[in-house]
């Protein structure tokens, strides 16, 4: 689901934008009657944006939600039973001695950062032209950081 929402659908959306720009350049020489193409292309873009949003919601709700519940339970269990590992000058919960749990905690952290920088959430109520789930209102810096977190 992550690859689908972050790569495949994003590439389809960018390919559609490129095709739409090329079609608009060709249609500028034509008279009226090109509005039908724009409406169909807009509907297709809207469907892709909705699909990306649904996939991202699935990731954040189910993957991030499950990770938060799992790590919270493990941390609380280790704290209650006073199981800790001494690493340098700090103590960490003992369940993190398993490399898979450590990597899972890192993944949860990055998913949370992605949720905080999610372009679709940043643009709620700010999109131009009534676009649903648009991402054009955020700056390039935020888009770069989001792309960096998602790779």
């Amino acid at each position: 689901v992550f690859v689908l929402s972050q790569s495949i659908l994003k590439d389809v959306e960018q390919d559609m934008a490129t095709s739409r720009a090329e079609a608009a350049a060709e249609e500028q020489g034509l008279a009226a009657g090109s509005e039908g193409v724009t409406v169909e292309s807009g509907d297709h873009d809207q469907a892709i944006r909705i699909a990306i949003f649904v996939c991202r919601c699935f990731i954040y709700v189910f993957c991030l939600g499950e990770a938060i519940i799992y790590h919270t339970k493990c941390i609380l269990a280790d704290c209650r039973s006073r199981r800790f590992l001494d690493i340098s000058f700090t103590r960490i919960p003992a369940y993190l001695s398993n490399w898979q749990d450590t990597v899972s905690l890192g993944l949860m952290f990055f998913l949370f950062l992605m949720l905080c920088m999610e372009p679709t959430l940043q643009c709620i109520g700010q999109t131009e032209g009534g676009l649903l789930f648009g991402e054009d209102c955020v700056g390039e810096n935020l888009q770069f950081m989001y792309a960096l977190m998602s790779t």
Side-chain angles (χ1 to χ4, degrees):
V1 173
F2 185 79
V3 172
L4 179 68
S5 71
Q6 296 301 108
S7 298
I8 297 172
L9 288 175
K10 204 65 163 160
D11 287 342
V12 168
E13 184 179 36
Q14 289 174 352
D15 289 345
M16 287 299 299
T18 303
S19 298
R20 193 172 51 249
E22 291 172 356
E26 290 177 7
E27 291 174 2
Q28 284 181 350
L30 300 175
S34 63
E35 292 177 15
V37 174
T38 305
V39 171
E40 290 176 12
S41 137
D43 290 343
H44 185 70
D45 288 345
Q46 183 70 14
I48 289 174
R49 282 195 303 274
I50 290 171
I52 290 172
F53 182 76
V54 168
C55 289
R56 288 180 181 175
C57 285
F58 180 85
I59 290 167
Y60 295 133
V61 170
F62 293 107
C63 297
L64 180 60
E66 186 270 333
I68 289 172
I69 291 169
Y70 173 76
H71 289 288
T72 302
K73 284 181 180 179
C74 289
I75 289 170
L76 290 176
D78 280 351
C79 288
R80 286 182 184 144
S81 64
R82 298 188 185 272
R83 288 184 306 215
F84 295 102
L85 295 175
D86 291 325
I87 297 180
S88 297
F89 299 106
T90 63
R91 298 176 68 174
I92 62 170
Y95 88 100
L96 291 175
S97 64
N98 181 359
W99 70 271
Q100 293 167 328
D101 288 329
T102 305
V103 171
S104 176
L105 183 66
L107 176 64
M108 182 192 76
F109 177 72
F110 280 108
L111 280 174
F112 182 74
L113 287 177
M114 285 178 57
L115 176 63
C116 292
M117 292 186 285
E118 174 64 48
T120 306
L121 296 177
Q122 300 288 331
C123 292
I124 289 179
Q126 298 178 16
T127 57
E128 296 176 11
L131 292 176
L132 186 61
F133 308 126
E135 299 178 358
D136 297 334
C137 72
V138 296
E140 289 183 23
N141 289 338
L142 183 62
Q143 287 180 342
F144 174 75
M145 290 302 295
Y146 182 80
L148 185 64
M149 291 292 159
S150 68
T151 55

